[in-house]
Amino acid sequence: MLPENDKRVEKVVELAKESLDAFCDDISTMFEVEMSCEQLDASIGTLKDIKKHFKKIAAVHTVQAQGGLDGHFQLVFDQAGLFTLAGVIVML
């Protein structure tokens, strides 16, 4: 469950949706396939909570964002997500 009236959380959700929509558009165009993104329930939790949703955590990266959303964020990938990300980078 997301905290009420937290502008940072609202901005993260908004930017994530925009980014995933752009990613889907790029992949659809690049590979001439139908692809779309759908927002599911968002929540905030600890890494222990996140592990319940992933088969195996493969990588956790901390980034510092500046611009539309300032702050430190953690990116969490499971094995399938890391493999997909590497494949997309190779294809680009």
Side-chain angles (χ1 to χ4, degrees):
M1 191 70 162
L2 296 176
E4 297 287 327
N5 299 323
D6 190 335
K7 296 293 182 194
R8 292 176 299 160
V9 172
E10 290 176 18
K11 192 68 170 174
V12 166
V13 171
E14 175 189 331
L15 291 174
K17 181 178 181 345
E18 290 175 11
S19 298
L20 288 172
D21 286 341
F23 173 77
C24 287
D25 289 342
D26 288 348
I27 295 298
S28 293
T29 303
M30 209 178 347
F31 298 111
E32 297 179 2
V33 296
E34 291 287 326
M35 185 171 175
S36 64
C37 297
E38 181 180 328
Q39 182 177 341
L40 301 176
D41 293 333
S43 63
I44 294 177
T46 64
L47 186 58
K48 188 175 184 177
D49 295 332
I50 292 171
K51 283 183 179 182
K52 294 176 187 175
H53 300 286
F54 290 97
K55 291 180 182 177
K56 184 176 180 183
I57 299 292
V60 178
H61 299 280
T62 301
V63 295
Q64 180 178 350
Q66 295 178 341
L69 185 66
D70 294 329
H72 292 275
F73 301 92
Q74 289 75 38
L75 305 173
V76 181
F77 296 95
D78 65 353
Q79 282 182 321
L82 201 56
F83 180 78
T84 302
L85 179 64
V88 168
I89 291 170
V90 168
M91 294 305 293
L92 290 174

